[in-house]
Amino acid sequence: MLTRWSEPFLQVTDVTYQYDHMKSFSLAKQSFTLEKGKLLVILGPSGSGKSTLLQLIAGLLRPNQGTIIMGGKPIHQLPPEKRNLSMIFQKPYLLPFLTVGANVEIGLKLKGVPSSERRVKSEEILHQVGLTGFYQRPLSSLSGGQEQRVALARSLVIEPQLMLLDEPFSQLDPLLRRQMGHWLGDMKRKWEIPMIMVTHDREEALTLGDQFLILRDGVAQQSGTLENIYYEPANRWMADFMGIDNVVDGIKRGTRVTTFLGDLEVHPHCVNVPDGPVHIVLRSEWLQMDSASSIEATIESSAFRGEYTEVRAHVNGESVVIKQLGFSNYERGTKTGVRLTTSNVWCLPKEVM
């Protein structure tokens, strides 16, 4: 029976890693906590250190310094098999000459669990992952998504305290990847096993994650909740990485900032940003067409993206991106109005680009 801990279940403190002299990459100090039933997403471009950090937690690499505490016990010096965790990779790495059930039972067999008990546990976990009746199936009969579910069942059946996922759906087609993401979200809520997931896919990350850690070149750029990283980027790079289309110039004075949209209120968390030139961060969905608005926009282009229309417009000397839900068709040169749908704006100290 899984229970909640009154303190963070996993505590990673000042963990660093330096590869040998042939590799210039190093992972700077990383610290975070994770509670039972939560999923931490480690996000970042290729070569940012995501998989390195995951391997340090798994025990596949040893940190140069720092501590990893799981369930109140230090594990950073333990070998992988002593850490009571499971790791799922991009490929399921199933044994093709074994049936589904035999693949699921591998961990139990290594633990010395009797065969009759292994089968009961395996069939129960296959039911939990939506593969009821698959125990005797050959692997050749499975789809890619079903193979990953078998890999998940194999990981869950040993009752790990922590699950690590290294881009588990990257080999799947987009539709199946989305379906597996929804299924993993349901499983997370049902099982309450803490999880850490590495992914390149920003949509997948934002859909599944409870906590986020964004890395760049081995250095943490920002950590926190979905609201933090989506609406409150820590720097200009984070704003670009999180897909914020409009980063424009402004002049901050106290709690107000002068922009191409007029004089606006500064977000309360940005009040301590030094006065003077700043970057104003505007998500494209915060700008909306409004013919009644006194702020004039000239349409430069529009393109339907499947769920929304991306409109590029010229507004008081700034070229901005506006997302309109659904299909819209705007001709180049059309004049219209535009309004801001938020009561305040996020701003950052202006960086020299």
Side-chain angles (χ1 to χ4, degrees):
M1 181 70 179
L2 295 171
T3 59
R4 292 187 179 276
W5 289 68
S6 58
E7 62 182 18
F9 174 74
L10 182 71
Q11 300 175 68
V12 175
T13 306
D14 293 339
V15 165
T16 68
Y17 186 77
Q18 173 70 58
Y19 285 94
D20 61 41
H21 66 281
M22 300 297 291
K23 294 184 179 180
S24 59
F25 175 83
S26 63
L27 186 72
K29 286 184 178 181
Q30 304 296 329
S31 299
F32 61 86
T33 62
L34 182 65
E35 296 179 357
K36 284 278 189 179
K38 300 296 183 182
L39 191 153
L40 168 71
V41 175
I42 305 175
L43 196 59
S46 296
S48 61
K50 304 184 300 298
S51 291
T52 296
L53 182 53
L54 205 67
Q55 290 176 49
L56 288 166
I57 297 167
L60 302 176
L61 297 174
R62 291 287 183 90
N64 295 123
Q65 68 176 73
T67 60
I68 303 173
I69 309 295
M70 189 170 78
K73 299 178 181 179
I75 64 167
H76 49 278
Q77 297 298 331
L78 295 179
E81 65 273 14
K82 298 291 186 180
R83 298 194 180 197
N84 196 15
L85 51 77
S86 292
M87 189 166 182
I88 299 175
F89 300 90
Q90 295 180 20
K91 295 181 179 180
Y93 294 112
L94 302 173
L95 299 178
F97 51 86
L98 297 180
T99 63
V100 167
N103 269 279
V104 172
E105 290 180 3
I106 288 173
L108 295 175
K109 190 172 183 179
L110 291 173
K111 287 187 171 186
V113 177
S115 60
S116 59
E117 187 178 342
R118 291 201 304 266
R119 174 150 190 171
V120 171
K121 286 180 175 291
S122 296
E123 289 190 328
E124 181 181 345
I125 203 70
L126 285 168
H127 173 71
Q128 293 287 341
V129 302
L131 294 178
T132 302
F134 276 64
Y135 183 86
Q136 297 285 11
R137 289 272 195 100
L139 290 187
S140 59
S141 68
L142 305 186
S143 66
Q146 288 170 336
E147 286 185 352
Q148 276 294 30
R149 290 196 192 193
V150 173
L152 285 166
R154 181 181 59 190
S155 297
L156 287 167
V157 77
I158 62 172
E159 299 181 12
Q161 291 184 294
L162 175 67
M163 184 171 288
L164 308 178
L165 305 105
D166 192 358
E167 301 196 63
F169 309 137
S170 62
Q171 302 287 321
L172 306 179
D173 64 70
L175 178 59
L176 187 54
R177 184 171 185 156
R178 182 172 294 186
Q179 290 172 346
M180 287 297 294
H182 289 315
W183 181 85
L184 182 63
D186 291 340
M187 189 192 75
K188 179 193 70 173
R189 287 186 290 272
K190 182 185 297 183
W191 284 79
E192 293 194 341
I193 296 176
M195 302 181 188
I196 302 177
M197 180 178 182
V198 161
T199 180
H200 283 89
D201 190 304
R202 193 171 61 221
E203 179 183 349
E204 184 175 78
L206 299 180
T207 300
L208 295 173
D210 300 300
Q211 301 170 218
F212 299 85
L213 174 63
I214 292 81
L215 300 179
R216 179 192 185 194
D217 298 329
V219 178
Q221 298 296 302
Q222 189 168 355
S223 62
T225 65
L226 174 59
E227 184 176 9
N228 296 146
I229 66 165
Y230 191 78
Y231 293 115
E232 305 172 358
N235 52 49
R236 174 63 188 269
W237 182 88
M238 272 296 302
D240 292 338
F241 183 74
M242 293 308 300
I244 297 176
D245 296 300
N246 305 308
V247 181
V248 300
D249 292 337
I251 303 294
K252 179 181 175 293
R253 298 181 183 86
T255 61
R256 309 290 295 181
V257 61
T258 302
T259 74
F260 72 104
L261 295 172
D263 192 47
L264 303 172
E265 186 77 20
V266 169
H267 190 286
H269 292 174
C270 300
V271 170
N272 292 329
V273 172
D275 286 354
V278 293
H279 289 308
I280 305 301
V281 175
L282 299 173
R283 298 204 72 91
S284 48
E285 61 267 28
W286 295 347
L287 295 169
Q288 291 295 302
M289 302 297 192
D290 184 354
S291 58
S293 173
S294 60
I295 303 173
E296 187 178 83
T298 303
I299 305 300
E300 296 176 343
S301 65
S302 68
F304 184 52
R305 302 298 187 193
E307 296 178 353
Y308 63 88
T309 301
E310 181 181 278
V311 181
R312 294 185 178 272
H314 206 70
V315 182
N316 292 334
E318 288 281 357
S319 182
V320 296
V321 175
I322 303 169
K323 284 181 181 173
Q324 296 281 100
L325 188 63
F327 172 75
S328 300
N329 187 20
Y330 295 95
E331 292 188 8
R332 179 180 174 85
T334 300
K335 304 284 187 182
T336 186
V338 66
R339 63 182 174 86
L340 183 66
T341 62
T342 59
S343 59
N344 54 53
V345 292
W346 189 257
C347 62
L348 300 167
K350 191 164 185 179
E351 300 175 16
V352 178
M353 301 302 289

